[in-house]
């Protein structure tokens, strides 16, 4: 639907809440989606939250955001953040603003997480606030 904010989640984020709560928090992705839905209702925006373990699905959904006239995309590309030129190119290929989201702060972690192909193409990044990163990114997206 035109004006929707797409919330895209990459590999392994379906496992949230089951392991590594010290790094990623104890909320499941469904719980985060619920909180985003509540806040979206208050802000008067529509969200559509998805998750895939496959890079191509994320590329297709970015293209779909453009084709359907989405307002913005919140993208937590998981580990693909640090490897995917395809996602970088897809973000540059669309005019819809993309906000990079991370639960953890990749810059405070291993060196291989310091490079982000998503950040180089995104409008901005919210990272390090756990589930609240998504809510802060939604606030930003709603004002665009
Ligand atoms: O902090 C983030 O949001 C990340 O995008 C999460 C990715 C990681 O590769 C990025 O560097 C930062 C990993 C998601 C994996 O999520 C899991 C959840 C529960 C158990 C294991 C992995």
């Amino acid at each position: 639907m035109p004006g929707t904010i797409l919330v895209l989640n990459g590999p392994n984020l379906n496992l949230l809440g089951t392991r590594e709560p010290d790094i990623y928090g104890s909320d499941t992705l469904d719980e985060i989606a619920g909180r985003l839905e509540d806040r979206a209702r208050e802000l008067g925006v529509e969200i559509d939250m998805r998750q895939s373990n496959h890079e191509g699905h994320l590329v297709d959904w970015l293209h779909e955001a453009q084709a359907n006239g989405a307002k913005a995309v919140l993208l937590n590309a998981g580990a693909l953040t640090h490897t995917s030129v395809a996602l970088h190119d897809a973000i540059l290929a669309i005019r819809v603003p993309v906000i990079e989201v991370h639960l953890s702060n990749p810059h405070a972690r291993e060196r291989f997480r310091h490079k982000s192909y998503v950040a180089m193409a995104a409008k901005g990044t919210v990272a390090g606030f756990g589930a609240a990163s998504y809510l802060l990114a939604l606030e930003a997206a709603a004002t665009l």
Side-chain angles (χ1 to χ4, degrees), residues 88 92 100 115-122:
H88 175 92
L92 291 180
E100 180 186 34
K115 182 167 187 128
S116 170
Y117 288 93
V118 171
M120 284 187 274

Side-chain angles (χ1 to χ4, degrees), residues 10-12 52-56 58-59 75-91 100 102 106 110-121:
N12 298 310
S52 177
N53 293 322
H54 305 278
E55 186 176 26
L58 296 167
V59 170
L75 175 61
N76 185 350
L80 291 171
T81 302
H82 317 299
T83 61
S84 179
V85 178
L87 282 177
H88 175 92
D89 287 347
I91 295 165
E100 180 186 34
H102 296 290
E110 304 95 323
R111 269 194 88 77
F112 66 84
R113 295 186 203 273
H114 294 185
K115 182 167 187 128
S116 170
Y117 288 93
V118 171
M120 284 187 274

